Amino acid sequence: MSSPAIVLDQQLLTAAAEAAGFMPADEGRALAEAALAAPGGPILEVGSYLGKSTLYLAAAARARGGRVVTVDHHRGSEEHQVGWEYHDPGLVDPLVGRIDTLPGFRRAIALGGAEDVVVAVVARAEDFAALWSTPLAFLFLDGSHTDESAQRDLASWAPHLAAGGVLAIHDVFPDPADGGQAPYRIYRKALDSGDYTELTGCGSLRLLRRSPAS
């Protein structure tokens, strides 16, 4: 008798779709499905903002019987700062005078019922990468979209991806008129390295499998 198919946690998919953030529902589900299908091992997200994409990954983590680890300094990306397009004054801590997305993130994870499968690390991604040692099954890069930070995220975390593991990159827009180019450049850098083969993505979400020999 064959084993029943493992399916995504529907409660968490619904919570993700309803949460605040910038992940379209079709891309979020594709992200969750890719994480569900990845080989055994940890799922890690770089850049979680208010937790929308984290909930999609949590839907896969719960189905896999594992957890998703997130790393974010929660001070907001460049585009979230004062004077930028995605600045939200409601996310500024009045006592500190800086963006603080951690309370909103924790609220979304709690309301979504995902506290048992989400391990949140408050740190700069490159600092945490220096302490990490477990090979990753799935790595999602969706941090700051400047060239410097995107390149730094790729350089610090891609070496931790296991052979056969999946690298996901969000907001990849080949046409500059559609969006920023930093995620597109790290996507091209990874693909052009010869260490990855491309899987079927969705919208601005690109999926790459690390080659066994890389």
Side-chain angles (χ1 to χ4, degrees), residues 31-48:
L31 178 71
E33 290 174 347
L36 181 65
I43 297 169
L44 188 137
E45 173 184 58
V46 175
S48 49

Side-chain angles (χ1 to χ4, degrees), residues 44-161:
L44 188 137
E45 173 184 58
V46 175
S48 49
Y49 190 50
L50 295 176
K52 188 177 185 73
S53 57
T54 308
L55 288 170
Y56 279 113
L57 292 172
R62 179 170 287 162
R64 288 162 59 99
R67 290 178 173 81
V68 52
V69 179
T70 74
V71 55
D72 194 315
H73 49 58
H74 286 285
R75 292 301 185 190
S77 301
E78 283 76 2
E79 61 267 27
H80 300 142
Q81 307 308 317
V82 176
W84 288 70
E85 181 179 2
Y86 295 106
H87 176 65
D88 180 351
L91 296 177
V92 176
D93 181 338
L95 296 180
V96 179
R98 298 177 66 189
I99 293 285
D100 187 359
T101 58
L102 182 58
F105 170 84
R106 294 194 65 182
R107 186 179 307 114
I109 300 307
L111 291 174
E115 290 182 307
D116 59 323
V117 291
V118 175
V119 178
V121 177
V122 182
R124 296 194 308 169
E126 64 270 24
D127 292 339
F128 186 46
L131 304 174
W132 185 269
S133 60
T134 306
L136 297 170
F138 191 87
L139 171 62
F140 179 44
L141 298 183
D142 193 22
S144 176
H145 287 5
T146 65
D147 272 314
E148 180 183 1
S149 60
Q151 293 288 342
R152 189 168 56 237
D153 288 345
L154 181 68
S156 59
W157 280 105
H160 292 294
L161 189 63

Side-chain angles (χ1 to χ4, degrees), residues 11 51 61 101 120 125 152 184 196:
Q11 176 185 339
T101 58
R152 189 168 56 237
Y184 175 72
Y196 298 86

